[in-house]
Structures are given as structure tokens and as C-alpha cells.
Amino acid sequence: MNISALGERKIIEVVHEIIEKKLNFKPDYDDSAFIRLPSSDYLVLHTDVLNESTDFIKEMGFYNFGWKAVISNLSDIACKGAKPLGILFSFSLPKSLDLKDFEEMVKGICDACKEEDVIYLGGDTSSSNELSIAGFAFGIAKRIIKRKGAKIGDLIGVTGKFGLNSIAYEILFKKAKSDEYIKNLSLSNLFKPKGRIKEALMISPYLNCCMDISDGLAISLNQLCELNNVGARIFNIPIHEKVNEFCEINNLDPLELSLYKGGEEYEILFCFNESYLEDIKNLLTSLKCEFNVIGEITKNKEVIYNDGKRNFVIESKGWEHFKQWG
């Protein structure tokens, strides 16, 4: 069987099954690994790789490619409630890569590390037919926040607004109509993600579960509910105001675009008890971070959108490596 028929999550399951049989160890499936230290703190570890053929778009430039590699690694560390401390990168470099492009990529890595107060500790280099950046980040946590932990009645929160990355993909790959302001705004949002590292750390004491949104909002909601064996009622998707303007010009549905056609926002999706609502709101407001309650966890295993005007099942569609969009 070809691995493209399985998709990323099934491939991970295959790896875990082999580890369990060969090493008599059952991995705790999450977006980062963690080890309890003698101090009772947790060492949190994460690796993420970006490849030129699947992750690099010519318009983004090599500086942003390096920046994005840092954010993609640190985001998952922070979502576990860990303060990222250091990061290493292994580069697979084609001989044809221009030195100036390589230097720009490393500058992007350094600036993102400086932005997030993380030490860039070096790594390894190797020759290859394709440019690849494999990051390895680590941090320390007092308490681990897993993707599992949602409780019936929990509120579901997100940072940020959605749809800008969806616009960027429409402009890049479908040549959709757009004025220069919306085009530049959406491409900047896609190519140089902010990440929510500080935000995730600040609110982590109040969360029951947490994950970042890197594969799209709809698939992330479904993953969270599937892992927790619950459902969700979603009644509010915060959509960027420029998305509505773009969709009107291009005859698109802003809600569908924001749910299914995005990805790599690196916003955070989390569940919490309603009693902590004001605490979370105040903390995120202090960081000038957009925060919205988008729904609640339910017993029903489906993920339902119902805002009083529209009612439909949110399908588990988004980006998945090997399968790609589906």
C-alpha cells in the first residue's frame, strides 16, 4: 500500500505500533513529547520539518522560510504549557542553493528566535537534492497541557481571526481578484506568521487542553473532538473583516473559506471551564491579542456549526501530509 493512501495521522499510528512492539513502550500521542525530570518539571521536546517542495513558495522568500521554521517548532512547545528555551536546525542543502539565499534563511531563523526569546544553538548540515529545514526545539513546563482533557460543557476559545491565509492561497494558486492592500496583508500573514507563544504560556494555567491551528480550523476542531471522544457546538467563527470584502468580489463564502481553505495560522485552539473566562480574556487583552469564544464541548460526537442562521456539520477537511488537501 502506498503511504499516500494513509495520510500523516495513520502513518504516525504505524510508527507508534512498531515502537510499542519493538521497545515495549507506548508513546503518548500529542504534538510534542515530554519527560518528567527529577525536579518534577517536564522537559518538552518537539521536531518539525519544512521542505522546499511542500512548504516553500517562491513569493515568500528565504528569510520568511527560516522565520516560519522557528514558529512552527515553538508553537507546539508553547501549546503544551512549556517555555521554549532552545532550538537546533539541521539543514539539507542542494549544491545549487545561492549563498545569499542561505544567509537570508539563517537571518530569518535568528530574528524569529530573538523575537521569541529562544536560543539558537546550532545543528547540522548535509547535502541533498532538496532544501529542507528540520528543527528540534525544547522547553520546560510545570504542568503539561495535552490535546486531551476537554470536558463536557467546556468553552472553546481561539486567538486571532481567520480567513487571511485562505485569501492568500486563493490569490497564489487560483489567481483570485484582490486589491493590493488585501493581497499584501494576506501574504504577509501567511509568509511571516506571528505565532502565539507568549499568549499560550500566559493562559496555560487555565486550560484543559490546547493545540495550535496549523492544518486548518475545521480539521483542528475535529481532531480535538475525536481525541477527547466528544463533540462541539460552534456558534462563532471570528473572520477578518477584509475576508468578507474579498469574498464579495470573488463570489466566495467567507465562512466556508475560513473553515476549510486555511492552514498554518498558528493561532491556538483551547478548551477551558467557563469560570476562567474573564481571567483568560484579561490576560490576552493585556497582550493585545484577539480572543473569541467560538463554541462549547458537547456529548454529541459531531462538530456542529449553528449561529442561529446557518446549521451544518463541520467536516474534518484540511491539510494532511501525503494526502494534502482533503
Side-chain angles (χ1 to χ4, degrees):
M1 179 187 292
N2 192 296
I3 61 173
S4 64
L6 297 176
E8 182 182 12
R9 270 158 284 282
K10 288 293 183 182
I11 290 171
I12 291 171
E13 289 178 12
V14 170
V15 174
H16 286 185
E17 287 173 5
I18 295 173
I19 291 173
E20 190 171 355
K21 289 178 182 177
K22 291 288 187 179
L23 302 178
N24 195 29
F25 169 73
K26 186 175 178 63
D28 191 352
Y29 176 68
D30 218 301
D31 37 15
S32 295
F34 47 90
I35 301 170
R36 191 75 175 262
L37 299 174
S39 64
S40 293
D41 290 338
Y42 290 90
L43 174 64
V44 181
L45 313 164
H46 180 77
T47 183
D48 208 343
V49 61
L50 299 184
N51 296 306
E52 184 177 8
S53 61
T54 55
D55 300 293
F56 182 77
I57 302 170
K58 181 179 66 175
E59 290 86 349
M60 78 188 300
F62 287 89
Y63 177 92
N64 288 335
F65 195 47
W67 176 285
K68 191 172 181 179
V70 173
I71 299 302
S72 68
N73 277 277
L74 299 188
S75 179
D76 283 318
I77 291 281
C79 283
K80 296 278 85 54
K83 169 69 174 78
L85 297 177
I87 192 167
L88 296 95
F89 282 101
S90 291
F91 301 122
S92 296
L93 306 172
K95 295 178 182 178
S96 59
L97 182 66
D98 190 280
L99 175 60
K100 289 184 179 179
D101 292 335
F102 178 69
E103 289 175 339
E104 282 300 303
M105 187 172 68
V106 177
K107 288 176 183 176
I109 289 173
C110 290
D111 285 351
C113 287
K114 186 176 181 180
E115 177 81 11
E116 301 300 343
D117 192 26
V118 170
I119 303 172
Y120 177 23
L121 295 167
D124 188 29
T125 58
S126 176
S127 60
S128 175
N129 293 326
E130 179 184 4
L131 172 63
S132 178
I133 315 177
F136 172 73
F138 61 92
I140 296 292
K142 295 289 184 184
R143 166 181 172 252
I144 294 294
I145 307 164
K146 300 181 182 181
R147 290 186 176 192
K148 293 182 180 180
K151 298 175 175 59
I152 305 299
D154 274 359
L155 297 182
I156 305 169
V158 294
T159 58
K161 290 184 176 180
F162 294 86
L164 284 179
N165 283 11
S166 309
I167 286 178
Y169 293 132
E170 293 290 318
I171 292 170
L172 288 167
F173 302 126
K174 297 185 179 179
K175 308 303 179 186
K177 300 174 185 177
S178 173
D179 64 36
E180 282 302 304
Y181 178 80
I182 293 178
K183 178 181 178 181
N184 292 335
L185 178 66
S186 64
L187 293 182
S188 175
N189 198 73
L190 175 64
F191 292 154
K192 194 179 180 184
K194 297 176 182 177
R196 296 296 186 182
I197 287 81
K198 295 179 180 68
E199 291 85 347
L201 290 175
M202 185 168 281
I203 65 173
S204 62
Y206 303 99
L207 307 185
N208 290 332
C209 64
C210 183
M211 63 186 290
D212 72 359
I213 301 169
S214 55
D215 298 327
L217 181 55
I219 197 170
S220 296
L221 283 166
N222 275 276
Q223 287 171 9
L224 185 143
C225 288
E226 183 180 348
L227 282 169
N228 286 281
N229 196 31
V230 295
R233 182 178 71 89
I234 306 300
F235 48 74
N236 169 40
I237 301 295
I239 299 174
H240 195 281
E241 51 273 14
K242 289 298 178 181
V243 174
N244 294 314
E245 185 178 328
F246 173 87
C247 287
E248 187 173 345
I249 295 171
N250 290 277
N251 195 29
L252 296 169
D253 180 354
L255 182 57
E256 182 176 342
L257 196 74
S258 300
L259 278 170
Y260 298 119
K261 302 297 183 179
E264 298 189 322
E265 285 91 354
Y266 298 107
E267 298 292 349
I268 52 177
L269 170 67
F270 49 93
C271 297
F272 61 96
N273 187 285
E274 187 176 3
S275 62
Y276 296 132
L277 176 59
E278 288 304 313
D279 296 288
I280 292 171
K281 182 179 179 180
N282 291 336
L283 288 170
L284 292 177
T285 299
S286 72
L287 293 176
K288 299 180 180 179
C289 173
E290 177 84 22
F291 161 63
N292 282 279
V293 173
I294 65 169
E296 63 180 350
I297 296 296
T298 63
K299 291 180 181 179
N300 184 345
K301 301 299 172 60
E302 289 185 312
V303 182
I304 303 294
Y305 181 86
N306 187 346
D307 64 358
K309 297 178 182 178
R310 299 174 66 175
N311 187 352
F312 59 88
V313 174
I314 298 177
E315 299 177 71
S316 184
K317 296 192 300 186
W319 172 266
E320 184 173 0
H321 281 286
F322 307 105
K323 286 185 175 181
Q324 300 189 9
W325 290 102

